[in-house]
Amino acid sequence: MDEARHEETPGARERVSPRDLLMDAVAQGMLALARGRDVLDRCLTEEHGVDDFGFDPELTDDVLLAPLRPLYEKYFRVDVEGLDNVPAEGGALIVANHSGTLPLDALMLQVALRDHHPARRALRLLAADLVFELPLIRTLARRAGHTVACMDGALRLLERGELVGVMPEGYKGLGKPFAERYRLRRFGRGGFAAVALRTGSPLVPCSIVGAEEIYPMVADAGPLARRLGLPYFPVTPTFPLLGPLGAVPLPTKWTIRFGEPIRTDHYSSETLEDPMFVHKISDEVRDTIQETLTTMVRDRGSVFR
């Protein structure tokens, strides 16, 4: 009898009707649709945010970072160094170089700290105004805990003990020509240094190698960029020549290195009123990142190894 039952099972599975298969597919589709609707609702409503920036940690971990993790682990094969230089708790400002035509470096930095830091720290990025002018993108950015790059938002986050990320080169770094790769642009007016000084937060220099080569920008179609309201319109060896296929980034090998923190909690309040001192701190961070980038680029092997 046991033998008969054992032989009967495969036959029973083979006799599953097309109707049953169709119903099962419909059920799975409905589950996927329900999950998608839930995600959409959470993106479009304010009630799920845990703070006044609209941050949704669960949505960020389960949905927003999910498609980025394969890029991080398998495509760019990111190595991260110096994570012990990033505080496990309390406010700190991560200051990084910016490059690559599209801001994938900021997203990979977010994954590195959330998935690989021992304290699984959430990085609250200070993003450009354009991010918050795009209907869907601005909502997703808020759900991921990010805010527009301004002193007020940065101060509030640091005072709450958050880990804040800033890329002071902005569009000038992101959209620089391939011939100028790994040469840092100006760090603006040093606003990030003023924020760190006001809150006594450490500044952690961060150097990212690999992002410069994902979209080698050989020209900027300025007139088209102005017509579209964009800071630049990249022309690469594959885009726009190959259309959507040209938007696929090259699979370069990345390294993210965090340097030793620069303390700011021992300076007197008078330093806040001295713009020259603020610029001095800003330049110190910039010089540290530039020296590290130069060393990393010199010592690395193939761009694609």
Side-chain angles (χ1 to χ4, degrees):
M1 291 292 294
D2 290 341
E3 222 175 273
R5 278 197 296 268
H6 179 74
E7 292 174 357
E8 189 179 65
T9 304
R13 289 178 181 172
E14 291 172 4
R15 288 195 296 271
V16 175
S17 69
R19 179 180 178 278
D20 290 338
L21 289 174
L22 178 61
M23 292 301 292
D24 183 61
V26 170
Q28 293 298 324
M30 293 296 289
L31 287 173
L33 185 61
R35 177 171 173 75
R37 179 59 185 270
D38 177 61
V39 169
L40 183 62
D41 287 344
R42 290 172 65 176
C43 285
L44 298 180
T45 61
E46 299 295 327
E47 63 187 45
H48 292 285
V50 300
D51 61 20
D52 51 346
F53 291 96
F55 182 35
D56 187 334
E58 184 182 354
L59 181 72
T60 299
D61 282 339
D62 296 345
V63 178
L64 302 184
L65 294 185
L68 300 176
R69 290 184 173 113
L71 280 177
Y72 181 101
E73 300 287 350
K74 305 296 184 183
Y75 197 77
F76 296 132
R77 295 147 291 140
V78 181
D79 287 332
V80 58
E81 303 171 354
L83 278 171
D84 55 330
N85 289 318
V86 179
E89 59 184 17
L93 197 62
I94 306 294
V95 187
N97 58 304
H98 206 14
S99 64
T101 304
L102 293 179
L104 292 179
D105 51 0
L107 301 177
M108 295 301 104
L109 185 58
Q110 186 179 4
V111 174
L113 289 161
R114 186 59 176 165
D115 288 2
H116 298 280
H117 191 279
R120 288 180 50 83
R121 298 216 64 178
L123 183 67
R124 312 292 291 268
L125 288 162
L126 303 179
D129 292 350
L130 180 60
V131 171
F132 296 93
E133 293 171 2
L134 304 173
L136 178 59
I137 299 299
R138 70 186 177 202
T139 305
L140 295 177
R142 290 195 181 103
R143 286 289 170 266
H146 312 320
T147 187
V148 66
C150 68
M151 183 168 289
D152 178 63
L155 284 170
R156 285 160 56 202
L157 287 169
L158 287 171
E159 287 167 352
R160 296 177 188 181
E162 300 286 354
L163 190 64
V164 179
V166 60
M167 294 174 156
E169 292 176 280
Y171 291 130
K172 291 181 180 179
L174 194 62
K176 65 175 173 283
F178 185 67
E180 298 177 18
R181 59 194 180 279
Y182 300 114
R183 300 180 199 168
L184 293 183
R185 297 298 181 95
R186 288 183 63 252
F187 271 18
R189 300 177 181 177
F192 70 90
V195 168
L197 287 165
R198 288 193 182 189
T199 58
S201 304
L203 291 157
V204 181
C206 176
S207 305
I208 304 173
V209 166
E212 292 274 17
E213 294 91 358
I214 60 173
Y215 296 112
M217 184 169 159
V218 296
D220 175 12
L224 181 57
R226 288 189 290 274
R227 186 171 182 179
L228 296 173
L230 300 173
Y232 56 87
F233 189 91
V235 177
T236 76
T238 60
F239 182 85
L241 181 64
L242 300 183
L245 185 62
V248 177
L250 295 177
T252 58
K253 178 73 172 65
W254 288 34
T255 300
I256 298 176
R257 181 179 296 176
F258 297 98
E260 293 186 9
I262 298 172
R263 287 182 51 203
T264 65
D265 57 351
H266 59 291
Y267 293 115
S268 65
S269 57
E270 286 77 14
T271 59
L272 299 176
E273 309 303 325
D274 184 355
M276 294 299 293
F277 185 79
V278 172
H279 277 290
K280 176 179 176 294
I281 297 297
S282 174
D283 287 344
E284 180 181 350
V285 177
R286 183 186 180 280
D287 291 345
T288 300
I289 296 172
Q290 182 64 78
E291 290 171 9
T292 305
L293 285 173
T294 301
T295 300
M296 292 170 69
V297 172
R298 183 194 65 209
D299 294 345
R300 73 173 172 172
S302 167
V303 174
F304 302 101
R305 65 176 172 80

